[in-house]
Amino acid sequence: MAQVRLNHIYKRYSNGFEAVKDFHLDIEDKEFLVLVGPSGCGKSTTLRMIAGLEEISEGELYIGDRLVNDVAPKDRDIAMVFQSYALYPHMTVYQNMAFGLKLRKFKKDEIEKRVREAAKILDIEHLLDRKPKQLSGGQRQRVALGRAIVREPQVFLMDEPLSNLDAKLRVQMRTEISKLHQRLETTVIYVTHDQTEAMTMGDRIVVMKDGVIQQVDTPTDIYNHPANMFVAGFIGSPAMNFVEGSLIEEGGEVYFVSTNVKVKIPAGRAHVLREKNYIGKEVVFGIRPEAIHDELAFIEASPESSFEAKVEVAENMGSEMYLYLSGFGDKWLTARVSARTLYTPGSQAKLALDMNKAHIFDKETELTVF
Ligand code: ATP
């Protein structure tokens, strides 16, 4: 069993900087776990502690049932794939893949069997005699994966393995790594700063900021129920819109109001705001770009969240359009609508919000109210 348990782990560098704070998580056997967050949030440090490349300052790390804080990297039964591939330039693909097994004194025919099997899985059998410089970026990345696969480790650690590839290849390799995970049935811990990779690959996602876990959840739950404004703004593209304003009660209904904004909070959610004493308080209203609609039927059915705004910029993405609008709150609002209607800059757009998908955040703590 390859569970990985991080028990209240801290990393303090020698200069006193605390890069990871109280990281506490059980990663399940065969899980694909993604650590995501902006540059410097501590995700690589966390992965390197699991790999044994970085000492743990406080807390315990278990791989399976074994406490491994003091176990050398090579004895942890893990394999790591780096962003830089780290292939040996003077060796062939075969030799690169075989190297780790040779070091571990595997028999020649066992090495041959494992290398050929991995090469077959990764579709690089025809490249085994080449040197790394004779390969494309995507092929090099496959070799780096192959070198990890032949070890048949309990746990794969991957640190931004796709970031050196161009956009198209990245999408392709993303699917391949997911397929590989299903086929190998091992635990994968994958670090990325790319929220799309996190959303599409992870069974669960850990969102980090400033060395602290912000939320651990499935992609769907992270997207629909972000724990705070940071997670809400980090996951999703284009990003969620935030509008500062306040909550008022009028005629038994609760409204969010701001500059040129007055939208009704659905009754089912208004009671949460009453119970938690948010009426009369300043809050942040959040709405994702795709929860803003321009279909006439939707607008007519939603008079209490409809509004007119000026199209400042319209980006045509082919099947959909991103509209950057002024006239709703103090900042531009991003809407993601179908490209049926061609908006031009300067024109007026009539829109409505899907208020069942709106969020309210506490302005001081930035935590989600709903
Ligand atoms: P990136 O995506 O840029 O790699 P990251 O989330 O992986 O970012 P880490 O590499 O884990 O971030 O670094 C976390 C923090 O620890 C950063 O602020 C970094 O500057 C700091 N840090 C990393 N290594 C050291 C070190 N040896 N000494 C002091 N601080 C360090």
Side-chain angles (χ1 to χ4, degrees), residues 13-15 17 19 37-46 160 191 193:
Y13 282 111
S14 50
N15 62 358
F17 182 74
S39 181
C41 72
K43 45 195 194 301
S44 292
T45 301
T46 305
E160 308 243 10
V191 161
H193 64 271

Side-chain angles (χ1 to χ4, degrees), residues 278-296:
Y278 276 101
I279 310 301
K281 285 203 181 150
E282 292 195 2
V283 292
V284 178
F285 176 85
I287 189 92
R288 291 205 183 272
E290 63 272 26
I292 306 175
H293 294 264
D294 68 342
E295 304 93 19
L296 199 57

Side-chain angles (χ1 to χ4, degrees), residues 23-58:
F23 196 108
H24 188 70
L25 183 70
D26 281 353
I27 302 164
E28 284 161 35
D29 185 34
K30 302 188 179 54
E31 180 168 14
F32 198 117
L33 185 94
V34 180
L35 300 180
V36 69
S39 181
C41 72
K43 45 195 194 301
S44 292
T45 301
T46 305
L47 199 74
R48 292 170 60 81
M49 284 193 285
I50 300 172
L53 302 174
E54 207 68 75
E55 213 173 294
I56 295 170
S57 310
E58 191 182 325

